[in-house]
């Protein structure tokens, strides 16, 4: 069979893959993008960021309606039509995937549906509906992403034991839902299911949920979860799961106590994600993986194979869509011979719980563990007019600062809408900005963004709405 | 307080630590010797500028250090540790056996100078605010710079950790990058004008590496390391040869009368513990001529396009020592008597042979004399000793038959050669100068030799 020739083949059409394909096409390369799913967009669009946020939006509506009664606005009990809700979600995904598809056409990126497999360092075999096709490429960019990890002990083949993939389909609303893993996916899905009516128990093996963020910020999320979930159990290990009629019997151990057994209607396992590097034919190339299966790359996203680049979740690091897209541009630049490397100072992270938690750069905890001296300036949202105007003073904005230079090293925000606020911190850090730069930038009133300015002013002890320590400036 | 290496002699900006005379914990007095440094032309004791207890010694034996290098830290109020004091002598004696640490001086100096300020002695950069700068990240973050600036750096392959930032919080701006390159360019240009010395750090442009030849393929050989004095001589003469267009003007002076006067006054000088040498007389003769022909007593300042005429006459005298050539300076030779000159010369020559010359002894000459007559040979062509513009070479006086117009007479003739920098001095002046020199020897006034006044102490 005659091979199809191309400059670049991109394997996987997630936020890493399509960003790479489009940018490479813009730079004049002939690009083929291969996707095994029937819809473009990757995990992010189909089973990740977008559907989860769609549901979270619906959840927020329900919550706000409920909370409005004390403001004198009372709604009736919400009626939830799951089928309609799924259709609504699908319509969003179709719209977005269609967008990617039409942009592909516009930029003359050839989309090839089918599973890709490396025959060697120059050839990708694609199993399409019309049979096998062979793509001869100058360079390949692997962006095959990741899948939810399901430890074999939990993999009973019982559909009531779900990963995020199934949980986002919301087949029914389980009365009792156990969420194993208190990371961001578990906490977000818990927020959705709780609002739909489930009783949620979250178990987490570590001593904190949302590990990575600072405890003083996590506290707000935990407090809220403690209130609206049935329980958040820390230091707890799930030992075993078994099918028990229409339920799942779960045995777990809290701390050193004797194991307990409980029954749940459904279980969501959200204990991490595994790279999609298997069954890819990597062994036919020089590209190498680490023990966990993440493809090894340098900061130019080059694998050990000179023709092959890898980006996104499959290379590990922060497994986030925006990191994948950034890496996409760098890989393409490097391929085109334009100097570039992943030298971003930071990758911001957002947890879309209620309240939202977002941070970027250095955290206070990280500074402590690395022995880096920092100064911290906080602004509690209880002093924010905007936060009070919608009755959510449960928030905090926190700056991590390099002493002497006043350079901003980190920003952490917890509170409603934190995710939309964090970019100012990311921008400040990438710019090498100082606290004074933020303090002296006019922030519009009344907005939540003011909390960042006030935290900055607080650093110098001159915030308008709080009392802080005075310092030289 | 930190004690830094003071300025060394002219042209020498670094030296090798031969031995360290003190130990940490010792009490040191002001002017007490800290270490001995083999620099340009001598082993010089380096005295302390502070008194107190030594809290830290920053150098090690064998290390090359440069002006401004941190030598020791002294606690001016501290008390000495007794035990250490006792071991002091031993340490000093054993020290030379310690394996020399090869540490480039440039790595030592910057730490001593945290502020990005330029300290220069006689045009030599000790701390360079750019070359010695590295971003010190306490947080592990890269240097503060916007993504645009980082992209620029990436494109041109510049490590931003080398660029001092002027913005708020030390942020690096495009202007900072411009200034950085401007500085680098200036350095490159100035070092091309004045090839840098080995060991003087990063400002030295890499000289084309010389290829080593295996001489043993033709017979037995014995390679010997060049001493730092030798290396300095080699470098400086190479510089002179490369940059100064030389003209050599020859003549002979009839010094019969002068030699006679010399033997007449020799004893009187000896009584004053001075030896009346031809070199001393030549210095006096040259000093007189130099005041008439100031261009031979000038220097070329290329950076400013200026010829600098000196109102003083400091004459450098090439002295042959076991360790090579050194050039101590007789100051104000025009104002000194022959006796004073003779005494000075003697003292300096002794110091030179004992390798005790200080940097100051060798700095600031305005003209040079090289007298090889004591050894032999006739005319030779000495190489100008920058920043001088001229040098006088004296060969061995020879008795020759001289036609007086009536008869042949035996006269002693001194072969002379003045080499000069043709950029500054024209050929006609060269001829005039040597003619005047010849006359100065031939008509040396006896009054100058006579011991009329005693040396003022
Ligand atoms: C529930 C959930 C919520 C999330 N929320 C967020 C969020 O809020 N913000 C955020 O930044 N990130 C979020 N993420 C993470 C985000 O989805 C991923 O980081 C992102 O999708 C990674 O992009 P990618 O391009 O590397 O790979 P993916 O998006 O995983 O795309 C890889 C694509 O490659 C295809 N593929 C795999 N193997 C082959 C093959 N052999 N041949 C052809 N095609 C193949 C797959 O079908 C897939 O479409 C979430 C993830 C989940 C699961």
């Amino acid at each position: 069979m005659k091979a199809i020739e191309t400059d670049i083949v991109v394997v996987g059409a997630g936020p890493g893959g399509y960003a790479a394909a489009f940018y490479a096409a813009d730079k004049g390369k002939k690009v083929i993008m291969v996707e095994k799913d029937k819809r473009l967009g990757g995990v992010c669009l189909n089973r990740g960021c977008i559907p989860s946020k769609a549901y979270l939006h619906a959840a927020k509506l329900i919550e706000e309606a409920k909370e409005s009664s004390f403001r004198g606005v009372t709604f009736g009990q919400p009626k939830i039509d799951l089928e309609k809700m799924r259709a609504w979600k699908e319509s969003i995904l179709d719209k977005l995937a269609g967008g990617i598809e039409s942009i592909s056409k516009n930029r003359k990126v050839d989309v090839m549906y089918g599973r890709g497999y490396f025959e060697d360092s120059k050839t990708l075999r694609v199993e399409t509906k019309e049979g096998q096709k062979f793509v001869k490429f100058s360079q390949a960019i692997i962006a095959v992403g990741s899948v939810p990890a399901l430890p074999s002990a939990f993999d009973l083949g019982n559909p009531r034991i779900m990963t995020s993939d199934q949980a986002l389909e919301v087949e029914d609303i389980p009365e009792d839902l156990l969420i194993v893993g208190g990371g961001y996916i578990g906490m977000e899905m818990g927020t959705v299911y709780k609002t739909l009516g489930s009783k949620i128990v979250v178990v987490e093996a570590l001593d904190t949920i949302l590990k990575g963020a600072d405890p003083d910020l996590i506290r707000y999320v935990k407090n809220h979860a403690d209130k609206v979930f049935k329980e958040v159990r820390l230091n707890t290990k799930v030992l075993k799961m078994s099918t028990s009629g229409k339920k799942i019997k779960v045995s777990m151990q809290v701390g050193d106590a004797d194991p307990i057994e409980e029954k749940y209607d459904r279980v969501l396992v959200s204990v991490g994600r595994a790279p999609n590097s298997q069954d890819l034919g990597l062994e036919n190339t020089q590209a190498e993986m680490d023990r966990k299966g993440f493809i090894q790359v340098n900061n130019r996203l080059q694998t050990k194979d000179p023709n092959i680049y890898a980006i996104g979740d499959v290379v590990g690091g922060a497994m986030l869509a925006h990191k994948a897209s950034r890496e996409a541009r760098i890989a393409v630049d490097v391929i085109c011979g334009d100097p570039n490397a992943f030298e971003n100072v930071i990758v911001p992270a957002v947890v879309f719980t209620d309240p939202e938690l977002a941070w970027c750069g250095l955290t206070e905890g990280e500074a402590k563990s690395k022995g880096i001296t920092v100064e911290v300036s906080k602004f509690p949202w209880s002093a924010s007019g905007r936060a009070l105007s919608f009755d959510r003073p449960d928030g905090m904005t926190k700056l991590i600062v390099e002493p002497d230079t006043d350079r901003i090293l980190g920003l952490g925000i917890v509170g409603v809408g934190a995710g939309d606020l964090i970019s100012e911190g990311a921008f400040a850090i990438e710019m090498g900005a100082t606290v004074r730069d933020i303090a002296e930038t006019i922030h519009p009133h009344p907005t939540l963004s003011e909390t960042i300015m006030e935290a900055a002013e607080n650093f110098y002890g001159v915030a308008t709405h709080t009392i802080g320590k005075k310092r030289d400036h | 307080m930190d004690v830094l290496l003071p300025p060394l002699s002219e042209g020498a900006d670094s030296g090798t630590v031969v031995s360290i005379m003190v130990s940490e914990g010792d009490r040191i007095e002001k002017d007490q010797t800290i270490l001995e440094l083999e620099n340009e032309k001598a082993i010089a004791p380096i005295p302390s500028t502070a008194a107190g207890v030594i809290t830290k010694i920053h150098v090690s034996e064998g290390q090359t250090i440069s002006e401004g290098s941190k030598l020791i830290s002294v606690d001016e109020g501290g008390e000495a540790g007794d035990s250490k004091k006792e071991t002091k002598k031993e340490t000093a004696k054993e020290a030379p056996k310690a394996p020399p640490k090869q540490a480039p001086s440039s790595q030592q100096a910057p730490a001593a100078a945290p502020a990005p300020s330029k300290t220069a002695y006689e045009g030599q950069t000790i701390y360079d605010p750019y070359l010695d700068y590295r971003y010190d990240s306490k947080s592990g973050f890269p240097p503060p710079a916007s993504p645009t600036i980082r992209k620029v750096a990436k494109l041109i392959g510049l490590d931003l950790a080398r660029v001092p930032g002027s913005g708020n919080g030390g942020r690096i701006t495009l202007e900072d990058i411009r200034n950085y390159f401007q500085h680098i360019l200036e350095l490159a240009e100035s070092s091309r004008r004045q090839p840098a010395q080995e060991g003087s750090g990063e400002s030295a442009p890499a000289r084309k590496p010389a290829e080593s030849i295996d001489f043993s393929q033709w017979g037995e050989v014995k390679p010997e390391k060049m001493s730092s004095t030798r290396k300095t001589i080699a470098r400086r003469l190479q510089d002179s040869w490369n940059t100064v267009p030389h003209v050599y003007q020859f003549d002979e002076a009839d010094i019969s009368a002068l030699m006679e006067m010399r033997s007449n006054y020799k004893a009187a000088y000896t009584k004053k513990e001075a030896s009346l040498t031809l070199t001393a007389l030549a210095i006096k003769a040259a000093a007189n001529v130099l005041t008439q022909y100031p261009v031979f007593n000038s220097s070329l300042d290329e950076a400013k396009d200026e010829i600098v005429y000196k109102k003083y006459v400091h004459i450098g005298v090439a002295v042959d020592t076991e360790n090579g050539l050194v050039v101590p300076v007789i100051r104000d030779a025009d104002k000194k008597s022959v006796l004073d000159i003779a005494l000075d010369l003697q003292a300096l020559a002794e110091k030179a042979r004992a390798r005790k010359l200080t940097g100051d002894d060798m700095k600031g000459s305005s003209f040079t004399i090289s007298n090889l007559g004591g050894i032999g040979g006739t005319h030779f062509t000495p190489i100008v000793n920058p920043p001088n513009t001229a040098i006088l070479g004296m060969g061995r006086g020879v008795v020759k038959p001289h036609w007086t117009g009536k008869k042949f007479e035996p006269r002693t003739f001194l072969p002379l050669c003045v080499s000069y920098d043709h950029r500054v001095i024209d050929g006609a002046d060269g001829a005039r100068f040597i003619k005047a020199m010849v006359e100065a020897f031939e008509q040396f006034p006896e009054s100058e030799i006579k011991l009329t006044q005693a040396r003022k102490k």
Side-chain angles (χ1 to χ4, degrees), chain A residues 95-148:
Chain A
K95 215 182 289 166
L96 286 168
I100 298 171
E101 180 116 31
S102 70
I103 295 172
S104 302
K105 279 208 190 81
N106 274 332
R107 307 211 187 184
K108 304 207 162 45
V109 168
D110 274 330
V111 178
M112 195 183 277
Y113 288 95
R115 150 182 282 286
Y117 184 92
F118 284 94
E119 292 283 319
D120 56 44
S121 297
K122 291 202 144 318
T123 319
L124 186 79
R125 186 184 76 215
V126 186
E127 289 143 18
T128 70
K129 264 193 274 178
E130 308 94 61
Q132 286 190 350
K133 289 184 182 173
F134 291 88
V135 178
K136 282 262 176 224
F137 57 84
S138 303
Q139 282 95 12
I141 299 175
I142 303 177
V144 292
S146 60
V147 286

Side-chain angles (χ1 to χ4, degrees), chain A residues 12 16 35-36 42-44 49 53 116 144-145 184 273 313 319-321:
Chain A
E35 171 55 59
K36 72 169 191 212
V43 167
C44 178
C49 338
K53 267 83 247 181
V144 292
Y184 80 92
R273 297 182 63 83
D313 279 9
M319 291 168 80
L320 294 168

